């Protein structure tokens, strides 16, 4: 992989063209909140998105290479075509062609990031059923990016200005998520979280590890994974010099970690054992504030903390706040990587 310049632009993928991704991207450009960025997408999809939000003064500027970006006039939305749909998909409908197009944009953005042409990748929402309909064998962004980047292990982090949580498992059934709570998976999640925290200025993060069972097993009364697996993984991490603690009761650890002006958090991030255990607390504080970050990739990738919102697609009412937050975090993390941090 080539190292990007600290001033390299952001690549913003358009997401599923039947969802709100293209219009929130267009809104962010319209409002002047995506400087030094380009869209990886379908030109006609992005032109339709501009019409949806009534942004008559936002021209779409088609570019052939990232290097063309400095020549784009101010006030335009630069689009680097990565796909061309045979027809514009209907809003709010699962469409195999839309899923394939979203996938093509992600793959192209990954190539640009690995080549060092862009400083980070911000992905607009995709629809998992549309991916499946297109025959794409990945359940989501995280697994797709891991494969195309050749990353040995990655983890999902969801973050806002009050909480950060990193997941041991991601898009699997609850039964499989429980099976994924192994000594090695928990320890490796702690390691990746510890190593990645340098990107946002915390080289020695205080890491809380949540238990799997109610009350963290209550000494083995409600399950023994804490005693057999999670606790030993925490001790192994501590032996490596990582400030990891736990396992803690999962229904209270987030309250302890939440960092506000009135309540400084006891921890800098929380390791969650499965998807909903970690995402519910962060999303409860406000979807518009949350950002999804993939840790362990050889480049920075963030995304909004919401899905395709098919019920809103095409209405022009979708909120671009989470996308903007994702872009802002991508810039901070890319700057941390350029300064010598790892992800």
């Amino acid at each position: 992989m080539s190292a990007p310049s600290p001033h390299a632009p952001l690549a913003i993928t358009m997401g599923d063209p039947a969802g709100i991704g293209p219009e929130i991207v267009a809104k962010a450009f319209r409002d002047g909140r995506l400087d030094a960025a380009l869209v990886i997408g379908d030109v006609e999809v992005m032109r339709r998105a501009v019409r949806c939000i009534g942004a008559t003064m936002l021209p779409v500027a088609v570019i052939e290479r990232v290097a063309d970006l400095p020549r784009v006039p101010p006030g335009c939305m630069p689009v680097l075509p990565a796909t061309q749909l045979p027809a514009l998909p209907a809003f709010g409908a699962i469409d195999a062609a839309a899923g394939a197009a979203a996938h093509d944009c992600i793959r192209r953005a990954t190539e640009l990031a690995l080549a060092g042409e862009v400083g980070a990748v911000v992905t607009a929402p995709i629809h998992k059923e549309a991916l499946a309909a297109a025959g794409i064998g990945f359940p989501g962004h995280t697994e797709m990016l891991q494969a195309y980047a050749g990353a040995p292990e990655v983890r999902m982090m969801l973050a806002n200005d009050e909480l950060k949580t990193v997941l041991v498992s991601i898009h699997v059934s609850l039964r499989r998520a429980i099976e994924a709570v192994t000594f090695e998976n928990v320890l490796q999640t702690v390691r990746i979280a510890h190593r990645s925290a340098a990107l946002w200025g915390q080289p020695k993060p205080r890491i809380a590890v949540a238990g799997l069972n109610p009350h963290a097993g209550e000494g083995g009364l409600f399950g023994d994974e804490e005693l057999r697996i999670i606790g030993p993984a925490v001790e192994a991490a501590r032996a490596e010099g990582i400030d990891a603690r736990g396992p803690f009761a999962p229904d209270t650890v987030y309250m302890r970690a939440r960092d506000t002006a009135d309540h400084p958090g006891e921890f800098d991030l929380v390791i969650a054992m499965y998807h909903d255990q970690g995402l519910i607390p962060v999303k409860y504080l406000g979807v518009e504030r949350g950002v999804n970050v993939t840790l362990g990739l050889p480049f920075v990738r963030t995304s909004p903390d919401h899905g395709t919102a098919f019920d809103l697609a095409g209405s022009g009412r979708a909120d671009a706040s989470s996308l903007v937050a994702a872009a802002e975090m991508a810039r901070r993390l890319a700057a941390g990587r350029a300064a010598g941090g790892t992800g």
Side-chain angles (χ1 to χ4, degrees), residues 15 26 54 90 99 101 117 149-150 165 197 203 213 222 226 244 268 323:
E117 294 187 51
T165 186
N213 298 297
F222 307 142
E226 288 78 9
D268 298 310
L323 177 77

Side-chain angles (χ1 to χ4, degrees), residues 49-309:
V50 169
R51 295 193 296 271
C52 281
I53 65 170
T56 55
M57 302 300 290
L58 179 64
V60 170
V62 182
I63 60 176
E64 295 181 359
R65 303 172 303 155
V66 175
D68 295 335
L69 187 60
R71 293 190 286 276
V72 173
C76 294
M77 179 168 60
V79 178
L80 193 159
T83 187
Q84 185 173 1
L85 285 154
L88 290 173
F91 287 118
I94 295 168
D95 187 303
H103 162 267
D104 292 346
C105 296
I106 297 162
R107 185 155 198 169
R108 181 64 178 132
T110 301
E111 292 169 352
L112 293 172
L114 292 174
E117 294 187 51
V118 297
V121 175
V122 180
T123 58
I126 57 176
H127 199 287
K128 294 173 177 59
E129 290 184 63
L131 286 181
I136 308 299
F138 299 102
H141 276 113
T142 306
E143 298 85 354
M144 193 185 307
L145 290 161
Q146 177 183 9
Y148 293 149
E153 289 202 64
V154 300
R155 294 295 187 272
M156 176 190 289
M157 179 176 79
L158 203 67
N160 59 29
D161 53 353
E162 297 181 15
L163 275 178
K164 293 181 178 69
T165 186
V166 182
L167 313 183
V168 170
S169 65
I170 310 174
H171 299 118
V172 296
S173 70
L174 185 55
R175 186 179 304 279
R176 287 185 59 200
I178 293 170
E179 294 170 353
V181 179
T182 66
F183 174 87
E184 186 57 36
N185 283 348
V186 174
L187 178 57
Q188 188 66 356
T189 304
V190 174
R191 287 169 173 160
I192 291 171
H194 172 80
R195 185 171 68 243
S196 299
L199 293 178
W200 58 86
Q202 291 179 323
K204 297 181 179 179
R206 302 166 298 166
I207 300 174
V209 179
L212 173 67
N213 298 297
H215 302 190
E218 197 73 81
L221 293 175
F222 307 142
D224 64 356
E225 285 85 358
E226 288 78 9
L227 298 174
R228 292 187 299 106
I229 298 169
I230 304 171
V234 171
E235 290 305 312
R238 292 183 65 84
E240 296 177 9
I242 297 172
D243 185 4
R245 309 173 212 176
F248 296 111
D251 59 348
T252 56
V253 68
Y254 287 94
M255 291 186 286
R256 296 174 62 183
R258 185 181 180 189
D259 186 61
T260 68
D262 299 328
H263 179 273
E266 293 180 46
F267 309 108
D268 298 310
L269 57 89
V270 178
I271 304 298
M273 292 300 110
Y274 56 92
H275 184 279
D276 287 8
Q277 185 189 69
L279 268 57
I280 288 173
V282 180
K283 290 192 175 189
Y284 180 77
L285 294 176
V287 170
E288 72 283 353
R289 298 164 52 198
V291 177
N292 182 346
V293 184
T294 305
L295 306 181
L297 291 172
F299 56 86
V300 170
R301 176 262 172 170
T302 67
S303 74
D305 174 26
H306 58 71
T308 51

